[in-house]
């Protein structure tokens, strides 16, 4: 492969990761992206120009934002809606692990939203969440006591993030955390498109007696941008029957129970 072809592939791969970042955060400054991806600001501006020409983003002075973000927020719609049949099955299986009277944390995300949908109709439950859509879904339900974190609003994920959101969980204790992830890799562990969610998820894990990871099988064997930690920080993985036997065996080998929805 020629040097030019290698550079082009690197550029395409980097722009895919930049798009993942913006799909998570909504917007970002050129300087922030350049530092995160270890390229010059000139290179980053060139990447953003190409992404704008492809119709994914809109550039603004010193940064860029996701083109679809305004419509998403108005519609209260999440970005990642692939594999919804699997996510709905995972939501049902995960919700079955929750007993009435429990206090739980629901992370933001499309799969955790399906868990929340399956909890409607339960009684005497306390839910702590950083997801605006989940709070609105469960907040008006009789028998639910819903609490939201503070923090910075991330439009594409309808969530609150950053250190203020993480601080909310300090000193709390809950029975179960239903955790989302962008990707699962046996070496890299649980990874996410951007940095801002990492302290929030760490604080959630520290507050929970039992950590239940909900992720469809397409996320297994993939890597995103920033690492939270090893898969062994969770107790249960609820996924679908698309998981490969070798991946299931490797995950179970580190002490994680794998539940197939």
């Amino acid at each position: 492969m020629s040097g030019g072809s290698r550079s082009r592939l690197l550029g395409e791969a980097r722009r895919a990761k930049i798009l993942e970042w913006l799909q998570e955060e909504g917007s970002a400054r050129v300087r922030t992206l350049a530092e995160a991806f270890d390229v010059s600001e000139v290179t980053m501006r060139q990447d953003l120009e190409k992404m704008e020409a492809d119709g994914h983003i809109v550039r603004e002075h010193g940064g860029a934002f996701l083109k679809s973000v305004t419509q998403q927020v108005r519609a209260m719609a999440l970005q990642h809606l692939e594999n919804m049949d699997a996510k709905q099955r995972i939501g049902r299986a995960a919700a079955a692990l929750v007993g009435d009277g429990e206090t739980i944390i629901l992370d933001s995300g499309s799969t955790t939203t399906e868990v929340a949908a399956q909890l409607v109709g339960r009684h005497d439950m306390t839910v702590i969440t950083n997801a605006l859509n989940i709070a609105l879904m469960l907040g008006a339900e009789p028998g639910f006591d819903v609490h939201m974190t503070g923090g910075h609003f991330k439009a594409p994920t309808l969530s609150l993030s950053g250190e203020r959101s993480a601080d909310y969980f300090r000193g709390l204790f809950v029975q179960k955390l239903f955790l989302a992830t962008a990707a699962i890799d046996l070496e890299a562990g649980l990874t996410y498109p951007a940095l801002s969610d990492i302290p929030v998820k760490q604080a959630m894990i520290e507050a929970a007696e039992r950590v239940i990871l909900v992720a469809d099988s397409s996320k297994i064997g993939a890597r995103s941008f920033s690492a939270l930690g090893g898969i062994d920080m969770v107790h249960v993985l609820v996924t679908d029957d698309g998981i490969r036997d070798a991946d299931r065996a490797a995950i179970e080998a580190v002490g994680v129970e794998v539940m197939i929805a």
Side-chain angles (χ1 to χ4, degrees):
M1 183 183 292
S2 70
S5 297
R6 283 195 297 271
S7 297
R8 185 163 55 252
L9 285 173
L10 286 171
E12 290 171 357
R14 184 175 60 250
R15 287 189 289 274
K17 295 295 184 186
I18 294 167
L19 183 58
E20 286 182 11
W21 179 300
L22 292 173
Q23 286 173 338
E24 185 77 14
E25 297 288 336
S27 63
R29 309 298 294 172
V30 169
R31 179 177 297 177
T32 302
L33 292 170
E35 290 175 354
F37 289 91
D38 195 24
V39 296
S40 69
E41 290 188 26
V42 171
T43 297
M44 183 52 62
R45 288 191 187 95
Q46 291 171 344
D47 281 340
L48 296 176
E49 286 173 5
K50 177 69 166 62
M51 293 169 67
E52 184 177 47
D54 290 341
H56 298 304
I57 66 166
V58 176
R59 288 186 302 137
E60 58 182 357
H61 180 68
F65 60 90
L66 193 66
K67 190 172 184 179
S68 60
V69 71
T70 302
Q71 292 85 351
Q72 282 178 240
V73 173
R74 287 174 179 167
M76 292 296 288
L78 292 172
Q79 175 71 228
H80 301 291
L81 296 177
E82 309 87 358
N83 307 313
M84 284 307 298
D85 286 347
K87 291 177 181 181
Q88 289 166 356
R89 294 197 304 273
I90 292 166
R92 284 194 293 271
L97 301 176
V98 181
D100 287 347
E102 289 190 332
T103 298
I104 65 170
I105 298 171
L106 285 174
D107 192 7
S108 60
S110 55
T111 310
T112 49
T113 297
E114 294 303 318
V115 179
Q118 295 298 321
L119 292 175
V120 172
R122 297 291 188 90
H123 301 284
D124 188 26
M125 290 198 61
T126 300
V127 174
I128 304 165
T129 187
N130 63 329
L132 180 60
N133 63 318
I134 290 176
L136 291 172
M137 180 187 296
L138 298 179
E141 284 291 309
F144 275 79
D145 187 16
V146 176
H147 301 259
M148 283 205 77
T149 69
H152 172 70
F153 179 61
K154 297 200 310 177
T157 56
L158 302 174
S159 67
L160 297 167
S161 191
E163 289 293 343
R164 288 187 180 273
S165 185
D167 286 345
Y168 185 90
F169 294 99
R170 316 267 187 228
L172 295 184
F173 176 80
V174 305
Q175 279 82 37
K176 297 181 177 79
L177 158 64
F178 292 87
L179 180 68
T181 190
I184 306 169
D185 181 88
L186 291 171
E187 292 182 5
L190 308 182
T191 56
Y192 299 84
L195 298 169
S196 62
D197 276 344
I198 298 300
V200 181
K201 294 178 192 299
Q202 288 171 335
M204 288 177 172
I205 289 169
E206 290 171 6
E209 179 181 2
R210 193 160 179 80
V211 179
I212 300 162
L213 180 67
V214 289
D216 69 84
S217 60
S218 70
K219 296 180 177 180
I220 301 172
R223 293 188 185 190
S224 195
F225 180 77
S226 55
L228 173 64
I231 183 70
D232 57 351
M233 67 174 55
V234 309
H235 298 96
V236 181
L237 166 63
V238 185
T239 189
D240 60 81
D241 58 8
I243 186 173
R244 297 185 304 171
D245 290 342
D247 288 331
R248 178 174 184 172
I251 292 170
E252 290 177 332
V254 299
V256 179
E257 177 186 351
V258 177
M259 177 181 294
I260 305 299

